[in-house]
Amino acid sequence: MFITFEGIDGSGKSTQAKTLVSTLQAQGKSCIWTREPGGSEGAEVIRKLLVEGDPDRWSAETEILLFNAARRDHLEKTIDPALRRGATVICDRFVDSTRVYQGVARADLRPLVDLIHETMIQREADLTFIIDIDPEIALNRGLARKSGEDRFEDMGLGFQKCLRAGFLELAEQHPDRCCIIDGGQSIEAVERAILHAYTRVTS
Ligand code: TMP
């Protein structure tokens, strides 16, 4: 099974993705955690180009190509081999981030994102958790981390608000696999909501 976590910057999805991996591993399931951009040696090199530096460093079109180059390597080297072994793959961001960040918020490029995805990637998640949270809270949380990977956070609050709307619209387009989780609750309550939804889908 291929499970993805999505949401705006600072939504808490990375913590939640790792918690779900630990929970499933504790149940004896074969399960790996991975992330985008990154998740393979080559894709991690591309990641640095994308998340560091000036917001104007790349156009939205160039970003689409870079994210897809990273994704193709990630798919070939990490995701597909794990799925073939029968492992559950839990991925922190995937193509839905490109659909919303580059396809909606950075520019109106959703058809281009879909075309490249259909041509070069094809893979879709079986289950996608969208962690929904107030952009103001999330942005302050994200910037407070001072991770040095703030290129998209530096695009500002208006950008994060547009992302949130984009993710909610995406969930409406794919109700079969998308599950919106209220990220404004306590971490424990978010964990419980995710596990509940996972159990409902897999049992
Ligand atoms: P992360 O901070 O969740 O690791 O993600 C890195 C940044 O890259 C985050 O700000 C979202 C952005 N991003 C895109 O713009 N498009 C994509 O396709 C992906 C995977 C991430």
Side-chain angles (χ1 to χ4, degrees):
M1 194 173 188
F2 183 40
I3 301 174
T4 56
F5 278 74
E6 298 281 0
I8 64 174
D9 298 286
S11 61
K13 65 180 173 40
S14 303
T15 306
Q16 292 297 335
K18 285 179 183 159
T19 301
L20 184 60
V21 172
S22 305
T23 306
L24 298 186
Q25 286 174 344
Q27 292 173 358
K29 293 200 171 74
S30 166
C31 180
I32 66 156
W33 172 87
T34 188
R35 70 166 178 186
E36 289 211 347
S40 63
E41 208 182 320
E44 289 289 336
V45 175
I46 299 173
R47 177 185 175 92
K48 278 182 78 64
L49 298 174
L50 282 159
V51 299
E52 294 177 6
D54 199 84
D56 295 334
R57 184 176 186 187
W58 312 110
S59 69
E61 287 82 352
T62 309
E63 282 174 9
I64 291 172
L65 295 170
L66 287 169
F67 278 113
N68 274 283
R71 183 162 302 135
R72 176 73 198 205
D73 192 62
H74 184 207
L75 196 67
E76 289 174 5
K77 308 271 173 52
T78 307
I79 299 174
D80 279 348
L83 291 174
R84 275 198 296 271
R85 288 196 304 274
T88 294
V89 174
I90 296 188
C91 191
D92 182 349
R93 296 196 185 281
F94 195 62
V95 60
D96 290 331
S97 281
T98 323
R99 289 181 173 129
V100 174
Y101 278 74
Q102 283 69 43
V104 176
R106 290 275 281 130
D108 188 11
L109 289 172
R110 179 67 193 272
L112 180 65
V113 172
D114 288 339
L115 178 70
I116 295 179
H117 183 73
E118 277 152 32
T119 313
M120 295 309 300
I121 308 291
Q122 286 134 22
R123 171 81 59 198
E124 289 290 343
D126 301 303
L127 173 61
T128 299
F129 290 109
I130 295 176
I131 313 295
D132 181 49
I133 191 165
D134 178 348
E136 228 157 312
I137 296 172
L139 187 60
N140 289 335
R141 202 195 265 173
L143 289 174
R145 278 201 293 257
K146 292 198 179 7
S147 64
E149 295 190 333
D150 298 335
R151 190 169 157 260
F152 289 92
E153 273 112 321
D154 287 345
M155 293 181 191
L157 184 59
F159 182 72
Q160 297 293 328
K161 285 184 176 167
C162 186
L163 289 172
R164 183 194 200 180
F167 277 118
L168 293 177
E169 198 185 330
L170 190 101
E172 274 178 30
Q173 291 164 2
H174 300 278
D176 47 317
R177 67 174 171 88
C178 288
C179 177
I180 298 174
I181 302 285
D182 176 5
Q185 316 170 78
S186 69
I187 290 187
E188 296 75 22
V190 176
E191 277 173 30
R192 277 195 300 276
I194 289 170
L195 200 57
H196 181 75
Y198 170 83
T199 309
R200 203 185 55 229
V201 169
T202 54
S203 57

